Amino acid sequence: MSEHEQHQDDGHHGHVDLVYQEALPINNGKVILWLFLSTEIMFFAALIGTYIVLRFGAPAGTWPRPHDVHVDELLGTINTFILIFSSFTVVLTFEAAKKNLAAKAKMYLTVTFLCGCAFLGIKMYEYSSKFAHGIHPQPGGRSLLHEQSDVYYLARLKDQIAEYSKGAVLPLAGSKAEDSATEQADKVPDDKSVSIANKSTMKAETQAMLEEFLHGSLQWAEYVIGRVPNTQSAANIAGLNHRDVLISVSQDVYALPRYAGYILHLRESETAYLSRRIDEVNVEQSQLQQADGETATSLDFEMKLLAARQAYWSRQHSAVHDEEHAHPGGGINQKLHEEQHAGLILAMHIPSGNMWSSTYFLLTGFHALHVIVGLIAFGFPLAWTLDEKRANYIENTGLYWHFVDLVWIFLFPLFYLF
């Protein structure tokens, strides 16, 4: 290479054009939004993770199924489609704004806004439906959902009906072991001594069902707990399984398909017990002397209960089917709901019901609040001219809306599908 050529080559490499490049190829607004979304991801990840631990950590078969707590899969599916469609329309809004198609961008944004409103409307309908059935997170610290069907649940039912019927319900049999036979017999209600005070606003069929429940189920359960040996602790004795009897009462109020087998089993064991005990009481009554008035009254008292329970089985449980044919949420509460008796929703036995209710309303409630925030963010641009200058705002709010949709994609299968 000649000295002249070398000089020219050195001169060529001595002039380098520098081009300035930003550290991040995105605007500050988007950076701030991503930082905000990162905190939101951690927030919802903690909530969803906690729900998953509670859900799958519960004993097998105890967590409420969707139909047990009036979760409608169809409504959840519709809401899922609405949010996915709204994510699509917000992208169309952004693309139209970038091209300065202001009218088209506003049309797509209006559709997105209406989709968000429709989602909230359906969610409010779902909430109101659960409230109407007594499923809500512990109002006043005393929820209608009982984790177990036990003597406390039985006492709650007794107090509710007594309050609703203005004290017309008499104390139930077996409540005081020291009562004399005459006092016990006086506690056996009949159609004249016990009635529902609000019967004027209640259909005759529902009134009869509630009074039969008092005579043939609630009083029977208290009698069994107080007077009949418990085969759960000693299977070789002549008695009944108290737990099964209590579950039967709860299924009269609010039926769950999972307990259909229990009801069938109880009906078989109770039928055998009732037949055997009625025969024994008839024999004892025939052998009594005229002077045994106290014993005779006691046997009459027991015979009334046995006959009432036997009649109740024949009327109320003649059509008990297997689990797949049982109607979730059926029973007395369903009848009261159909007649819109908001003044009386009987306590329900739903295992893990309070935990499910608390987590459901917490997660879906927080998600609904985020939907409302998104609608507020979309509401302002509806009054603007959505040209290229507004594209960045639409893009950032669209990213937030995509996050809200993504959270629902996780909530939908957790609450609506299993």
Side-chain angles (χ1 to χ4, degrees):
M1 179 182 295
S2 66
E3 185 176 339
H4 177 71
E5 290 174 341
Q6 185 176 2
H7 177 75
Q8 286 183 334
D9 187 67
D10 290 341
H12 174 73
H13 287 285
H15 297 83
V16 178
D17 293 330
L18 298 178
V19 178
Y20 174 75
Q21 178 66 47
E22 294 181 357
L24 289 174
I26 57 178
N27 57 61
N28 292 337
K30 190 179 294 186
V31 173
I32 294 173
L33 179 67
W34 277 114
L35 290 175
F36 169 72
L37 290 182
S38 66
T39 63
E40 290 292 282
I41 290 171
M42 289 186 286
F43 174 74
F44 275 103
L47 290 179
I48 294 174
T50 302
Y51 174 81
I52 292 174
V53 170
L54 293 172
R55 164 67 178 85
F56 294 99
T62 62
W63 196 261
R65 300 169 185 173
H67 284 183
D68 295 347
V69 283
H70 298 278
V71 171
D72 192 329
E73 293 95 333
L74 178 60
L75 292 178
T77 303
I78 293 173
N79 258 353
T80 303
F81 172 78
I82 287 174
L83 283 187
I84 293 175
F85 181 72
S86 68
S87 284
F88 173 66
T89 57
V90 79
V91 171
L92 294 179
T93 304
F94 172 62
E95 292 298 325
K98 282 199 306 182
K99 297 176 182 178
N100 277 321
L101 301 175
K104 185 174 290 187
K106 185 167 292 189
M107 179 190 70
Y108 289 135
L109 187 61
T110 301
V111 173
T112 305
F113 185 86
L114 292 177
C115 284
C117 292
F119 176 89
L120 289 178
I122 292 176
K123 181 53 62 181
M124 292 304 103
Y125 173 80
E126 288 187 274
Y127 280 3
S128 64
S129 175
K130 290 173 181 57
F131 291 157
H133 286 91
I135 299 174
H136 35 63
Q138 300 190 10
R142 196 180 189 196
S143 172
L144 291 173
L145 307 180
H146 284 245
E147 305 289 325
Q148 297 182 9
S149 181
D150 51 20
V151 292
Y152 301 104
Y153 172 72
L154 206 64
R156 179 77 181 279
L157 290 177
K158 173 184 171 183
D159 292 342
Q160 278 188 297
I161 297 178
E163 180 180 357
Y164 185 75
S165 60
K166 297 180 172 29
V169 179
L170 299 177
L172 298 181
S175 58
K176 292 183 179 180
E178 66 272 14
D179 287 348
S180 67
T182 302
E183 291 171 328
Q184 294 176 22
D186 290 339
K187 292 178 182 179
V188 181
D190 54 38
D191 293 336
K192 295 180 180 180
S193 63
V194 176
S195 61
I196 304 303
N198 294 354
K199 65 171 64 178
S200 60
T201 62
M202 186 178 293
K203 290 182 180 179
E205 179 184 357
T206 305
Q207 176 197 334
M209 178 184 64
L210 195 55
E211 291 182 355
E212 287 174 359
F213 171 71
L214 286 172
H215 304 344
S217 184
L218 194 58
Q219 185 179 15
W220 167 254
E222 277 211 339
Y223 171 75
V224 169
I225 299 303
R227 306 292 182 178
V228 179
N230 187 6
T231 60
Q232 188 175 1
S233 56
N236 59 339
I237 61 178
L240 291 170
N241 187 311
H242 290 185
R243 179 175 181 270
D244 287 350
V245 174
L246 290 170
I247 288 178
S248 174
V249 173
S250 72
Q251 298 312 293
D252 290 335
V253 175
Y254 188 86
L256 298 177
R258 74 182 73 172
Y259 288 113
Y262 269 104
I263 303 305
L264 292 173
H265 167 73
L266 176 60
R267 184 176 184 181
E268 294 175 0
S269 61
E270 270 201 17
T271 299
Y273 176 85
L274 291 170
S275 299
R276 182 179 69 252
R277 187 56 190 157
I278 287 175
D279 291 340
E280 292 173 354
V281 171
N282 284 330
V283 171
E284 292 177 24
Q285 286 178 323
S286 64
Q287 295 175 349
L288 284 177
Q289 302 296 323
Q290 187 73 20
D292 295 331
E294 183 75 6
T295 303
T297 304
S298 179
L299 292 175
D300 289 340
F301 158 76
E302 185 176 3
M303 182 62 79
K304 281 186 178 182
L305 289 174
L306 294 170
R309 184 59 174 175
Q310 203 171 47
Y312 186 78
W313 271 123
S314 63
R315 288 193 300 266
Q316 298 293 334
H317 298 284
S318 59
V320 173
H321 301 296
D322 57 14
E323 179 171 342
E324 65 182 16
H325 290 97
H327 182 268
I332 293 174
N333 272 2
Q334 182 62 28
K335 287 289 187 181
L336 295 174
H337 173 71
E338 290 173 357
E339 294 187 19
Q340 299 181 346
H341 278 281
L344 180 61
I345 302 176
L346 298 182
M348 296 160 283
H349 165 53
I350 304 179
S352 300
N354 281 314
M355 184 60 70
W356 179 91
S357 177
S358 297
T359 53
Y360 171 82
F361 286 103
L362 180 68
L363 269 71
T364 59
F366 270 122
H367 178 264
L369 286 176
H370 282 71
V371 172
I372 293 173
V373 171
L375 291 180
I376 294 173
F378 288 143
F380 290 111
L382 290 176
W384 302 344
T385 299
L386 300 181
D387 53 15
E388 187 177 4
K389 296 178 182 179
R390 305 293 188 180
N392 284 338
Y393 180 90
I394 297 299
E395 182 182 18
N396 291 338
T397 52
L399 286 173
Y400 171 82
W401 193 251
H402 293 325
F403 167 76
V404 172
D405 295 353
L406 183 62
V407 171
W408 180 254
I409 295 300
F410 282 95
L411 296 182
F412 171 66
L414 288 176
F415 286 113
Y416 289 82
L417 300 185
F418 58 90

